[in-house]
Amino acid sequence: MASKKWVIENVRNIGISAHIDSGKTTLTERILFYTGKIHAIHDVRGKDGVGAKMDSMELERERGITIQSAATNVFWHDTQINIIDTPGHVDFTIEVERSLRVLDGAILVLCGVAGVQSQSITVDRQMRRYNVPRVAFVNKLDRSGANPFRVANQLREKLHHNAVMVQIPIGTEDAHQGIVDLVQMKAFNFLGDDGENVKEVPIPADLVDQAKEYREKLIDAATMFDDELAEKYLEGADIPVELLQRAIRKGCLKMEMTPVFMGSAFKNKGVQLLLDGVRDYLPNPTEVNNQGLDLDKEETPVQVMCDPDKPLIAYAFKLDDGRYGQLTYMRIYQGTMKKGEFIINTTDQKKVKVPRLVKMHSNEMEDIEASYAGDIVALFGVDCATGDTFTDGTVNVAMTSMHVPNAVISLAVSPKDKAGANNFSKALQKFRKEDPTFRVHRDEESGETIISGMGELHLEVYVERMKREFACEVITGKPQVAYRETIGAEAAYDYTHKKQTGGSGQFAKVVGKIRPLPADSETSYKFNNNVVGGRIPREFIPACDKGFQEQLAKGPLIGFPIVNVEVDLDDGAYHDVDSSEMAFRICAMAAMRQAYERAQPTALEPIMKVEVSAPEEYQGSVLGQINQRRGMIQGTTSETGYAIITAEVPLSEMFGYSTDLRSATQGKGEFTMEFSRYTAVPRNIQEELAKKYQEQRAAENK
């Protein structure tokens, strides 16, 4: 087994990503079955009550959705494939981010009926962010209305992929029997109770012309990536399979070509050929460019080589609290990690011993002695946070961090009884450590504990987990939208802070102006120091900057952070004895309050991109509901009896929408939403919010 285990060219680290309900977890379940990892198939909402292997959390099995990314490793012939099954629901987007950050390739799963949906667009954008090459798998070809040719077109039009079909189906819907492989020009059927017997069959006579046509398109696209192939093609010579595969692989690794596979995971068709595609076209760890930051050289970018003999560099991308304490998932980027050796956390420079090293299979594990560059493993007993980098101490390099989106919704929470207070704080601490999008803070004015996250479902799941995992019943307040404040015009300030008490007094003067920053600027606050001639001593300038920023943390209009503000500090005055950092900080805060009132303060609200799909007969009532919620319809399309409506709706209007949609469509409507941008709230709503905030402050001051 040891000799088989580690040939780095035979390793693939892949993720399976898609829109919710495209069949990712079902596909992973089939992969586990065909690679001999499990010996019976269980479905996501299986009648046997077992649930999918990769949905190991009780909540996941109940709801039939994936909440946490799960890791496993399988062997397909000689290739070791580390797989991470990620959630499709936008509320758990961090699970996709953290997985793509450490993966080398991905399978983008698309529904053969619905095609490219809103969440497919999101995961595709995330894959581009981390430069992850991918193959596409058009699933659910057994469903009525399935059309893989249309889905491949959508990949080109909506996602701008150079999508090239490497297969065509033998029949669709009820007639879906197998696949024609255009690379080998062979047809395959999947026989046996679970499709485990792949049988080569002649290409059906009625598909020969279509197969030739699509093979021609495939070769034509592949010639762009291989001169030898282009030469043979122009000469009209026979194209060897290996040469065509080599060209497709080159295009895929450059992210300039997306090979499209197809089948039906639920009906056990096409999965084995997809595994061949993962082996043939997705990169091994040495073919991926990984960058780190050299902490000894002011975070200069450095190349991290996938070499087991170089110094160790490993990245903690996910934490999980298991039966035996914290389980830390790590990707080994460089070097070798051995059980019993010491490693150093570059974040806090703490030295820790590797007590136990395991390979994960969903919630089961296998102990190993060592792990090499390019592998994904898990460690017990290592205290760290998501995103920490570990080395052997001979280098001081941190891997670049993952993208963490801002929270859009908050909820006040408190334990139901005093006895649960201890578990309550333990739970919050644990969740915050394992999920960077889950934020906790204490509202100083109201004394409440506020949790913030990516959506209602995101916070609902954490409240439910507190109850189940920590036996802590929680009382929740009304969901609170993460509003923002900004300014609409330039305004000047000229403020003098004087205070004379016993002993030394306080004196500071600042003069300048504030103006709005463009909404698309990279930063939400900019400070320009234009003071000349020592009018304010240099050592007091940072105190002014700090004072302005402190005042922006909570706006006077509706009590939310102020964004997109540029501050010019042009002039000022100081006193030799009475001026201090404290005096200038207080002065800057007061100056910001003074200018803010004159700068047309405006409240901003998060706008969500919403996609609703419902049977066409309910289209009218769905559109009516969106309009009632201040929604702007972006477009409607119709596919196989279903209306798909895209709209932009303020988050504050989306509470309770799932219940309304279900009742308006007899339970047949579904929707997904994700954060789009902030825009100004209508004047009447701004007045309501401002009035409410003033009343709240008045009540607190009594």
Side-chain angles (χ1 to χ4, degrees):
M1 188 72 175
S3 61
K4 177 185 177 183
K5 215 153 194 175
W6 205 253
V7 180
I8 199 158
E9 287 73 24
N10 290 353
V11 174
R12 302 287 181 273
N13 292 315
I14 66 159
I16 299 180
S17 299
H19 183 90
I20 191 165
D21 254 1
S22 297
K24 293 179 306 301
T25 303
T26 306
L27 174 62
T28 313
E29 201 72 4
R30 297 309 185 266
I31 289 173
L32 296 179
F33 178 72
Y34 297 131
T35 54
K37 200 75 182 183
I38 57 173
H39 303 294
I41 289 173
H42 300 291
D43 291 312
V44 177
R45 295 184 177 90
K47 294 183 177 67
D48 56 9
V50 177
K53 175 78 202 167
M54 297 298 276
D55 284 348
S56 58
M57 207 196 236
E58 202 182 319
L59 261 174
E60 294 179 309
R61 296 185 176 191
E62 278 175 26
R63 291 177 183 242
I65 59 169
T66 302
I67 291 170
Q68 292 184 324
S69 47
T72 188
N73 72 297
V74 298
F75 279 97
W76 180 242
H77 306 313
D78 285 336
T79 306
Q80 177 181 325
I81 306 176
N82 290 319
I83 300 174
I84 297 188
D85 172 32
T86 58
H89 204 290
V90 70
D91 282 22
F92 309 106
T93 188
I94 191 64
E95 294 290 336
V96 183
E97 292 279 352
R98 70 164 104 232
S99 305
L100 291 175
R101 170 66 189 80
V102 297
L103 294 172
D104 304 327
I107 301 172
L108 176 63
V109 184
L110 300 158
C111 172
V113 183
V116 172
Q117 295 164 277
S118 62
Q119 208 41 31
S120 325
I121 296 169
T122 304
V123 293
D124 181 68
R125 196 168 60 234
Q126 290 170 317
M127 286 177 193
R128 285 180 201 273
R129 183 182 291 138
Y130 299 106
N131 294 319
V132 177
R134 65 284 224 192
V135 298
F137 181 68
V138 182
N139 193 16
K140 302 192 175 184
L141 290 191
D142 58 302
R143 295 247 316 254
S144 136
N147 183 343
F149 302 97
R150 188 184 66 225
V151 178
N153 269 335
Q154 288 182 346
L155 266 172
R156 292 181 204 110
E157 288 162 13
K158 290 189 177 180
L159 297 182
H160 312 295
H161 281 222
N162 178 15
V164 180
M165 295 173 82
V166 291
Q167 299 176 337
I168 58 170
I170 302 174
T172 55
E173 304 182 358
D174 295 347
H176 180 49
Q177 294 169 353
I179 297 294
V180 177
D181 182 326
L182 302 175
V183 177
Q184 302 177 64
M185 273 311 258
K186 291 177 178 175
F188 296 94
N189 279 348
F190 302 87
L191 309 173
D193 292 344
D194 296 314
E196 65 272 29
N197 302 322
V198 182
K199 187 184 178 200
E200 188 184 325
V201 294
I203 297 175
D206 59 336
L207 286 179
V208 170
D209 289 345
Q210 191 186 32
K212 282 180 180 166
E213 178 199 338
Y214 276 91
R215 179 177 163 84
E216 193 74 10
K217 287 180 181 177
L218 169 62
I219 296 170
D220 189 34
T223 55
M224 301 295 292
F225 306 103
D226 195 294
D227 294 341
E228 192 187 335
L229 176 69
E231 238 169 80
K232 279 198 181 320
Y233 180 55
L234 290 171
E235 288 165 6
D238 277 347
I239 307 289
V241 169
E242 292 73 25
L243 187 59
L244 182 51
Q245 284 179 331
R246 184 177 81 188
I248 297 169
R249 179 179 178 81
K250 282 181 187 171
C252 187
L253 296 196
K254 282 181 168 176
M255 290 182 65
E256 289 171 15
M257 185 184 208
T258 305
V260 180
F261 292 79
M262 50 199 60
S264 164
F266 185 62
K267 290 288 169 71
N268 311 313
K269 289 180 174 56
V271 177
Q272 295 96 321
L273 300 186
L274 173 66
L275 283 166
D276 289 341
V278 166
R279 177 195 62 204
D280 295 339
Y281 305 131
L282 289 180
N284 69 51
T286 64
E287 294 171 307
V288 178
N289 178 5
N290 288 307
Q291 275 206 338
L293 303 171
D294 190 331
L295 301 179
D296 293 335
K297 294 183 182 167
E298 296 182 342
E299 299 195 354
T300 312
V302 287
Q303 195 68 23
V304 174
M305 307 304 292
C306 190
D307 181 342
D309 299 323
K310 289 209 178 306
L312 172 74
I313 299 175
Y315 181 80
F317 68 94
K318 178 175 163 58
L319 309 181
D320 205 354
D321 235 8
R323 294 186 295 261
Y324 313 107
Q326 182 175 303
L327 182 64
T328 306
Y329 287 84
M330 281 199 199
R331 161 81 194 254
I332 315 286
Y333 278 102
Q334 182 177 291
T336 301
M337 184 182 282
K338 290 181 180 163
K339 185 177 163 183
E341 286 189 345
F342 283 94
I343 54 175
I344 287 169
N345 186 336
T346 57
T347 309
D348 55 16
Q349 297 301 320
K350 276 189 183 162
K351 198 175 187 181
V352 286
K353 193 176 182 180
V354 179
R356 189 177 170 199
L357 208 52
V358 295
K359 289 290 280 180
M360 290 306 295
H361 172 41
S362 185
N363 60 342
E364 294 164 14
M365 57 198 74
E366 165 202 344
D367 278 275
I368 54 173
E369 290 301 309
S371 171
Y372 307 95
D375 205 0
I376 290 174
V377 288
L379 281 75
F380 274 106
V382 174
D383 186 34
C384 67
T386 301
D388 285 356
T389 302
F390 287 84
T391 69
D392 58 4
T394 60
V395 287
N396 192 16
V397 171
M399 296 306 292
T400 51
S401 61
M402 67 186 104
H403 170 77
V404 179
N406 290 324
V408 293
I409 184 169
S410 301
L411 202 59
V413 289
S414 58
K416 204 168 189 177
D417 47 50
K418 285 273 185 346
N422 194 22
N423 279 1
F424 177 69
S425 57
K426 265 190 205 162
L428 293 181
Q429 216 170 343
K430 178 201 163 188
F431 298 154
R432 187 162 58 175
K433 213 171 178 187
E434 69 183 43
D435 180 354
T437 57
F438 178 77
R439 296 165 171 91
V440 184
H441 75 275
R442 189 175 167 77
D443 187 317
E444 294 306 326
E445 287 179 6
S446 64
E448 290 178 314
T449 301
I450 309 290
I451 58 173
S452 310
M454 302 308 298
E456 271 185 291
L457 180 64
H458 188 211
L459 298 184
E460 243 175 63
V461 163
Y462 279 116
V463 167
E464 188 62 27
R465 282 183 65 190
M466 278 187 223
K467 191 166 134 188
R468 294 184 185 205
E469 294 171 32
F470 290 86
C472 175
E473 290 271 358
V474 174
I475 300 165
T476 58
K478 205 173 163 225
Q480 173 68 67
V481 174
Y483 290 103
R484 293 286 180 266
E485 296 183 25
T486 192
I487 53 174
E490 187 174 289
Y493 60 84
D494 180 343
Y495 191 84
T496 306
H497 171 66
K498 270 186 195 168
K499 199 171 181 188
Q500 202 63 48
T501 49
S504 64
Q506 287 182 12
F507 179 86
K509 180 178 181 177
V510 291
V511 180
K513 51 194 168 297
I514 64 171
R515 74 178 74 85
L517 273 170
D520 59 353
S521 66
E522 284 180 18
T523 171
S524 79
Y525 166 76
K526 194 175 172 192
F527 175 71
N528 305 313
N529 172 26
N530 306 325
V531 175
V532 289
R535 304 278 295 168
I536 300 175
R538 197 179 297 143
E539 65 266 25
F540 295 144
I541 300 294
C544 298
D545 183 10
K546 199 173 175 191
F548 290 129
Q549 287 191 61
E550 275 182 40
Q551 193 54 51
L552 293 176
K554 194 167 189 178
L557 181 65
I558 58 169
F560 281 87
I562 303 166
V563 295
N564 300 343
V565 175
E566 186 170 4
V567 180
D568 283 351
L569 179 60
D570 298 330
D571 198 4
Y574 74 103
H575 186 279
D576 286 338
V577 178
D578 291 349
S579 287
S580 63
E581 282 189 13
M582 166 80 87
F584 273 98
R585 192 166 64 87
I586 293 168
C587 184
M589 288 173 79
M592 177 59 80
R593 283 196 297 272
Q594 181 193 62
Y596 187 70
E597 283 173 19
R598 306 183 197 134
Q600 295 175 14
T602 309
L604 301 174
E605 63 181 346
I607 300 293
M608 309 304 280
K609 183 183 168 197
V610 178
E611 185 178 280
V612 187
S613 71
E616 280 176 345
E617 64 261 34
Y618 302 113
Q619 185 171 341
S621 49
V622 170
L623 290 169
Q625 280 186 344
I626 291 172
N627 287 328
Q628 277 174 351
R629 293 171 182 267
R630 293 197 285 126
M632 294 284 289
I633 307 293
Q634 304 289 301
T636 59
T637 53
S638 182
E639 278 171 23
T640 58
Y642 265 74
I644 292 158
I645 298 152
T646 49
E648 289 192 332
V649 191
L651 175 63
S652 58
E653 304 289 341
M654 287 301 292
F655 297 129
Y657 179 59
S658 51
T659 314
D660 288 359
L661 177 65
R662 275 199 293 269
S663 57
T665 59
Q666 295 184 358
K668 293 172 189 163
E670 290 179 348
F671 81 99
T672 59
M673 69 173 183
E674 64 176 310
F675 173 72
S676 170
R677 63 185 196 285
Y678 273 96
T679 60
V681 302
R683 180 63 54 193
N684 61 326
I685 292 175
Q686 178 170 314
E687 283 164 9
E688 266 175 49
L689 290 168
K691 188 179 166 197
K692 199 166 145 194
Y693 178 57
Q694 298 310 331
E695 284 170 2
Q696 187 187 326
R697 289 190 64 185
E700 281 162 5
N701 291 336
K702 271 184 183 174

